[in-house]
Amino acid sequence: TKPLSYDSVITIVKKVNKTKEITLLEYLVHNNFGGNENEALENYAISDTFYLKAKKIGPFDNIDQASVMEGYYYVKNNYDYARSLFRRKRFQEAMINFETTAEYYQPDSSYLYAARAGIKLIETGKEINKINVLNNFNKAISLDPKNPIAIGERGIFYVSILKDTTRATADFSKAVQLNPKDAESYEYLSLIYYYAGNNAAAISAITKCIEIDKMQPSYYGTRAHYYNHIKSYELAIKDYNEAIFLDPTNNESYYLKRGACQKAINNYIAAYDDYGFATMINPSNTDAKKELQKLDPYLKEAYE
């Protein structure tokens, strides 16, 4: 169902503030409004009080015991409370409340956010059942099979947490099929292909990222790395040029890598310049300094 209009909610809030004779729906709407308003102001202690008052009404033994709107606002309070907890990085409580919300109407967003909370807990080193997180992704996707965001995030979970590149590849491929502008999924695909030794597919995937966002220096840097790996040094240098042009002050590693490509094709003066720029950006870069020393004999010969 759809929520009540803003005017209807305000009418209920004013009524509740004036009289104690209210219906269950009015009680739930009033507390949801109070929770939302105080959460927006970051008055979390007060907002929690409102959310928890509504939460204590249930859970209903059977959602059919409630009217449609009563059920909706009971679930909405749980959902909004879980969202507030997630915002405050209280991921354990957020996950539990999202899962509780999903027990009633099974909204895909509840399962998706529960999965996200689980990932946050894993990232912080919390012991958690990884299969439970995966199940939440699966439930979200079963409710919305054409949601590229959920599919892509499950792919990240497969590759980053479960180390399952086969299923991750399937998810990322599906995600970009549903959303051809999904640069993140293309980027993950390129990395999977690269580490699997499929250089052509890796370059093709990262090229898709560049077509989607031509202003992202890291995409050019990644493709340059792939070209460097297969010894296509001229193409690598061209991409390093783009990466440095887009972000000239924070690319110490790009200068270093472009310098290595220049050295590989015997362009020693350009290599010397790149290593020199790397040391200007980071004077403690010992690798760049060593390369400069190695180039001294070549430069002397070139100038002579």
Side-chain angles (χ1 to χ4, degrees):
T1 188
K2 295 181 179 180
L4 297 171
S5 68
Y6 180 76
D7 289 342
S8 297
V9 171
I10 293 300
T11 300
I12 289 173
V13 170
K14 289 179 179 179
K15 177 185 176 182
V16 173
N17 289 336
K18 288 182 179 180
T19 177
K20 293 182 180 180
E21 295 180 4
I22 57 175
T23 66
L24 174 58
L25 175 59
E26 290 168 341
Y27 181 80
L28 292 168
V29 170
H30 175 267
N31 283 303
N32 187 246
F33 179 84
N36 289 172
E37 288 291 289
N38 283 283
E39 182 191 344
L41 297 172
E42 298 186 0
N43 296 329
Y44 295 122
I46 300 174
S47 68
D48 285 357
T49 300
F50 280 105
Y51 289 139
L52 291 171
K53 280 181 182 177
K55 187 177 174 67
K56 288 176 182 176
I57 292 294
F60 298 105
D61 293 329
N62 186 331
I63 199 67
D64 292 335
Q65 293 176 352
S67 70
V68 171
M69 291 306 295
E70 287 170 349
Y72 176 84
Y73 272 95
Y74 172 70
V75 174
K76 188 175 185 302
N77 271 291
N78 275 355
Y79 184 91
D80 290 347
Y81 179 51
R83 189 201 63 245
S84 176
L85 292 168
F86 190 94
R87 182 181 178 188
R88 289 176 271 165
K89 299 183 179 181
R90 290 166 60 178
F91 300 119
Q92 184 75 50
E93 298 163 272
M95 183 173 65
I96 292 170
N97 278 279
F98 277 127
E99 289 175 342
T100 301
T101 301
E103 288 177 8
Y104 290 97
Y105 288 141
Q106 296 190 330
D108 59 289
S109 57
S110 294
Y111 284 122
L112 181 56
Y113 275 103
R116 287 175 179 171
I119 289 175
K120 293 291 185 182
L121 289 168
I122 292 170
E123 289 174 349
T124 56
K126 182 81 173 180
E127 286 294 326
I128 185 172
N129 186 341
K130 296 175 183 177
I131 300 303
N132 182 52
V133 178
L134 178 59
N135 286 339
N136 281 326
F137 272 124
N138 292 341
K139 290 173 183 175
I141 293 167
S142 69
L143 291 169
D144 188 0
K146 294 185 178 181
N147 184 342
I149 294 174
I151 294 169
E153 290 192 20
R154 186 177 67 179
I156 295 172
F157 181 75
Y158 274 133
V159 70
S160 302
I161 306 299
L162 300 183
K163 312 301 181 186
D164 187 337
T165 56
T166 301
R167 286 189 171 88
T169 300
D171 271 354
F172 292 134
S173 299
K174 182 67 175 178
V176 297
Q177 179 186 345
L178 292 167
N179 178 17
K181 299 292 185 182
D182 184 359
E184 186 177 31
S185 290
Y186 275 121
E187 187 174 22
Y188 272 103
L189 280 172
S190 80
L191 290 168
I192 291 172
Y193 292 141
Y194 173 73
Y195 286 112
N198 190 341
N199 296 305
I203 291 170
S204 176
I206 200 64
T207 299
K208 287 287 186 181
C209 293
I210 294 171
E211 291 171 0
I212 293 166
D213 184 0
K214 292 180 172 61
M215 303 304 291
Q216 177 53 253
S218 66
Y219 296 155
Y220 292 99
T222 299
R223 190 171 68 176
H225 176 77
Y226 297 161
Y227 281 137
N228 190 359
H229 180 70
I230 61 175
K231 299 183 179 180
S232 293
Y233 299 120
E234 287 83 359
L235 291 173
I237 290 169
K238 185 178 179 181
D239 274 347
Y240 283 132
N241 291 345
E242 288 292 335
I244 291 169
F245 174 77
L246 291 169
D247 187 9
T249 59
N250 298 311
N251 280 322
E252 171 195 350
S253 65
Y254 291 157
Y255 281 117
L256 203 60
K257 292 171 182 177
R258 188 175 69 177
C261 291
Q262 299 282 15
K263 183 179 176 182
I265 59 175
N266 302 325
N267 194 349
Y268 300 126
I269 295 174
Y272 196 91
D273 286 342
D274 277 340
Y275 291 131
F277 276 116
T279 58
M280 287 173 62
I281 295 171
N282 179 12
S284 63
N285 189 326
T286 56
D287 290 335
K289 290 178 180 178
K290 288 178 181 177
E291 292 298 329
L292 286 171
Q293 290 175 351
K294 291 178 184 178
L295 284 170
D296 281 338
Y298 296 102
L299 286 173
K300 182 180 179 182
E301 182 182 341
Y303 280 118
E304 289 175 348

